[in-house]
Amino acid sequence: MATEKKVLVITGASTGIGEAVAKLAYKDGYQIVLAARSQQKIEALASEIGNSKNVIAVGCDVSDWASQQNLLKRTLEAFGQVDAVFVNAGLSKGSPILGGEDSPEEWKEMILTNVYGVAVTARLFLPELIKTKGHLLLTSSVLGRVTRPGNLYSATKWAVTGMGESIRQLINDDGVRVTVIEPGRVDTPFWKEKPQGPLLSANDVAQSVMFALNQPKNVSINEILVRPTGQII
Ligand code: NJP
């Protein structure tokens, strides 16, 4: 069942940047698939922003292959096509590479979510995006362009930036656009304690995502680095 409206899948849709993109994209006429582990939050968000014909919520742990296969299956059952995927699920956990507590399990969760999870989403959804000449958008970070001493989160985001460019080259002839979004500090639940200094809102970043998404088909914005005014690194 192919649909007239465009279909956008968002991972990490339960809060923060993903939630903000869902709200803006719905207003722009997209049908939305909300994916995150917190089923209740995404169900509440789905009913807040639309109706069940246009927005569905699919519980998904991106670090799990079968869970992402189910996300693809549910998307196609509901809407029959995928026009854009915002690969946004991510977190920062664990100690720096030297110092702090030994936290190998937290490192594993971060790497499996931020790196493996992104690769799995791309692998499963790219065949659908090739069919629609669609758009893949990936949330990296300013720390996927610069780095900080001993910061493993930064290394995972360099991996995302690298994957974005690598995928762009891979599917260059297929008409699929690829955009890497690199936010500075954003005021979202990502932070256990609100950081000092200037912050973007989730909506500020969502506006950048929509800017890339709403370009004409012949315009491929490949990278957007957006800091709050006054953030130095
Ligand atoms: O943070 P938050 P942001 N499987 O915590 C989901 C990057 N970034 O919006 O699963 C599936 O509100 C989680 O949902 P749940 C950051 O690295 C941020 O700021 O229910 N989903 C939630 O929806 C990340 O890539 C800043 O817990 C999983 C979402 O991910 C992206 O921006 C700066 C999951 C996280 O939302 C969005 O983060 C920067 C899993 N295994 C980059 N694990 C910043 N906030 O300052 C987590 O440079 N999620």
Side-chain angles (χ1 to χ4, degrees):
M1 172 202 37
T3 118
E4 296 281 308
K5 282 189 163 185
K6 291 195 168 178
V7 178
L8 169 66
V9 178
I10 303 173
T11 69
S14 59
T15 52
I17 298 166
E19 175 183 358
V21 168
K23 289 177 175 168
L24 291 186
Y26 185 77
K27 281 193 195 134
D28 277 3
Y30 284 86
Q31 291 179 308
I32 315 274
V33 179
L34 303 168
R37 294 166 301 177
S38 313
Q39 182 82 42
Q40 283 186 343
K41 277 192 199 162
I42 50 175
E43 275 172 11
L45 179 62
S47 6
E48 183 192 331
I49 61 179
N51 62 48
S52 57
K53 265 186 166 170
N54 292 320
V55 188
I56 63 164
V58 182
C60 174
D61 180 345
V62 297
S63 67
D64 182 79
W65 170 263
S67 186
Q68 290 221 51
Q69 278 183 313
N70 179 57
L71 174 62
L72 174 62
K73 182 169 163 279
R74 292 279 311 279
T75 301
L76 294 176
E77 281 168 2
F79 299 124
Q81 68 189 57
V82 183
D83 299 278
V85 183
F86 182 38
V87 189
N88 169 70
L91 47 84
S92 177
K93 267 200 167 171
S95 298
I97 288 169
L98 189 64
E101 299 291 313
D102 283 334
S103 52
E105 290 308 315
E106 290 188 334
W107 276 0
K108 256 194 218 166
E109 183 188 346
M110 178 171 68
I111 292 164
L112 285 175
T113 305
N114 295 8
V115 182
Y116 173 78
V118 169
V120 170
T121 312
R123 179 166 180 91
L124 288 171
F125 282 88
L126 276 173
E128 299 305 319
L129 292 177
I130 288 169
K131 286 181 201 160
T132 55
K133 298 196 185 302
H135 197 157
L136 184 77
L137 304 104
L138 307 135
T139 308
S140 174
S141 171
V142 162
L143 291 182
R145 266 285 159 222
V146 299
T147 195
R148 286 176 175 278
N151 190 315
L152 190 59
Y153 169 76
S154 172
T156 69
K157 290 300 185 178
W158 276 80
V160 177
T161 305
M163 258 190 274
E165 174 58 12
S166 170
I167 292 167
R168 187 191 69 77
Q169 292 179 18
L170 176 73
I171 55 176
N172 188 49
D173 295 333
D174 293 307
V176 177
R177 295 181 287 166
V178 179
T179 305
V180 177
I181 309 285
E182 297 161 350
R185 292 197 196 100
V186 193
D187 188 4
T188 69
F190 174 88
W191 300 99
K192 284 181 191 71
E193 284 171 33
K194 200 166 169 165
Q196 298 288 312
L199 294 171
L200 295 165
S201 70
N203 191 60
D204 293 329
V205 182
Q207 304 267 15
S208 296
V209 174
M210 296 313 297
F211 174 75
L213 194 54
N214 286 335
Q215 293 299 312
K217 283 271 187 195
N218 67 316
V219 179
S220 183
I221 309 256
N222 300 130
E223 215 168 341
I224 298 180
L225 192 160
V226 50
R227 291 186 178 91
T229 307
Q231 178 179 327
I232 187 158
I233 291 177

